[in-house]
Amino acid sequence: MLLEMLYPNRCPACDGLVEVAGFCPKCRKTIRIASEPVCRCCGKKLKDDRFEFCYDCRIGKHDFDEARSVYIYEGGMKKSMYRFKYSNRRAYAKVYAAHALKAQELWLERIRPEVIVPVPMYKPKERARGYNQAESFARALGERLGVEVRTDLLVRRKETRAMKTM
């Protein structure tokens, strides 16, 4: 009760107060979950379901086999992701994990992950931010899936350009 008073649930899209963790009714209508058809490699939403792969994956190579998205990155989700990364809204990870399970249930059943490995942050950046948002999401997802989360398998050796600048 005291924790709820100190840290009330907030809608990840508008940051307004909500009774139950999740999106408020108004924002729920605007949040789009990534659904089929998606690229079989990167998970990007496909505009044309005649193709199995998006244009980028048809012409280029990646350092991964498969990836999936939970949300379409637009509107309230852009603001939500920004607050999750830069405004210490770690509680959003549980909402994202719940939607990830729902949105990617079939894919997760097919790949049956044995371990979840979040991408590490450059240590000075993580110290400045106070946490790694990828690790927060991985822990929330691992908890819901009953899958171990390992943060000791990858090492970031150098700072790379922020994805938002690419």
Side-chain angles (χ1 to χ4, degrees):
M1 183 77 132
L2 181 60
L3 279 178
E4 290 172 3
M5 288 173 56
L6 291 172
Y7 303 103
N9 291 317
R10 294 192 167 276
C11 170
C14 70
D15 206 40
L17 296 175
V18 292
E19 285 186 38
V20 179
F23 293 98
C24 71
K26 181 181 173 190
C27 292
R28 199 175 302 130
K29 294 175 187 173
T30 66
I31 300 302
R32 293 184 39 216
I33 303 289
S35 59
E36 297 290 339
V38 297
C39 175
R40 297 288 166 235
C41 181
C42 72
K44 187 186 307 177
K45 182 80 173 151
L46 293 173
K47 293 177 183 167
D48 187 342
D49 63 359
R50 293 178 298 158
F51 297 103
E52 288 189 337
F53 300 96
C54 70
Y55 177 77
D56 293 334
C57 291
R58 287 196 307 262
I59 65 167
K61 291 232 178 241
H62 300 293
D63 292 330
F64 58 86
D65 294 326
E66 290 183 66
R68 290 294 178 270
S69 299
V70 178
Y71 303 102
I72 305 296
Y73 187 66
E74 64 186 17
M77 277 316 302
K78 283 185 176 184
K79 293 174 184 174
S80 180
M81 289 291 151
Y82 185 87
R83 283 191 302 275
F84 180 54
K85 287 178 74 170
Y86 303 112
S87 297
N88 200 16
R89 293 295 198 265
R90 295 179 225 196
Y92 291 2
K94 290 184 179 185
V95 175
Y96 299 160
H99 282 156
L101 280 177
K102 211 181 289 184
Q104 301 301 337
E105 181 179 18
L106 295 176
W107 181 68
L108 288 165
E109 284 177 13
R110 182 175 59 80
I111 66 166
R112 303 179 76 160
E114 296 176 24
V115 67
I116 297 174
V117 182
V119 175
M121 287 179 71
Y122 187 55
K123 285 296 176 194
K125 189 184 285 187
E126 185 174 351
R127 277 192 296 276
R129 190 174 295 168
Y131 67 104
N132 177 348
Q133 74 281 350
E135 183 178 336
S136 294
F137 174 70
R139 290 199 184 286
L141 185 61
E143 186 177 304
R144 291 187 79 97
L145 282 172
V147 173
E148 179 183 14
V149 175
R150 297 278 307 268
T151 59
D152 60 335
L153 298 178
L154 293 178
V155 176
R156 182 174 297 259
R157 292 188 186 165
K158 63 180 182 177
E159 185 172 13
T160 54
R161 273 180 42 205
M163 287 187 69
K164 66 182 179 184
T165 67
M166 295 184 198

